[in-house]
Amino acid sequence: MRLLLKRRYTPRGTLGRLFLGSRQLCFIREAPKSCYSPSRHCLEEGVYELEPVHTEAEGWRIRLGDGGWILSKAPDRVPETGELCPVTAYRADGTPLFTRLAFLKLLDELEEAWGGGEVVELEVVSRGVPYRLESCRIPSYS
């Protein structure tokens, strides 16, 4: 099974939509692209294998390859480097809504595939950076 994350970059954060086939599962929020914030940035584009992880301290999370996570974060907490945070919807002012619900729905969707021994992957693609900031002129494929 392969999920597709289509995203766009802004100076304050990276916004995306997560799809399974042609069906949108949820929205995703991430830290900004590294050229906007070198200390806190989003994952690089590519393909990542997903693996569920549970700990007593943090509960359920989904590991993305070697360096990222899909996890639930409260609307008032900003995503850190390599964190993808599911969101059900946004208010008009941009505040994320139902972040925990979005994560649980995603986990339910993927649980059947993992239970059947299927490999679940995430492909991350994005629109090019529309800004003229020199450090952002890194090739980006749509």
Side-chain angles (χ1 to χ4, degrees), residues 34-99:
S34 58
C35 60
Y36 296 120
S37 177
S39 64
R40 186 178 61 88
H41 55 84
C42 61
L43 282 175
E44 294 296 319
E45 296 166 10
V47 178
Y48 299 88
E49 186 173 339
L50 304 182
E51 176 189 358
V53 175
H54 183 270
T55 63
E56 288 297 320
E58 298 174 354
W60 284 103
R61 302 179 340 160
I62 301 171
R63 179 179 292 133
L64 291 167
D66 295 330
W69 295 96
I70 298 177
L71 58 123
S72 175
K73 273 217 163 171
D76 60 337
R77 295 186 56 214
V78 294
E80 297 297 325
T81 298
E83 293 181 342
L84 279 67
C85 301
V87 175
T88 300
Y90 288 95
R91 287 191 175 124
D93 67 355
T95 305
L97 293 171
F98 309 118
T99 55

Side-chain angles (χ1 to χ4, degrees), residues 1 50-52 60 106-120:
M1 168 190 285
L50 304 182
E51 176 189 358
W60 284 103
L106 177 60
L107 202 56
D108 284 346
E109 190 78 39
L110 301 177
E111 189 174 41
E112 189 175 318
W114 284 318
E118 192 173 346
V119 173
V120 180

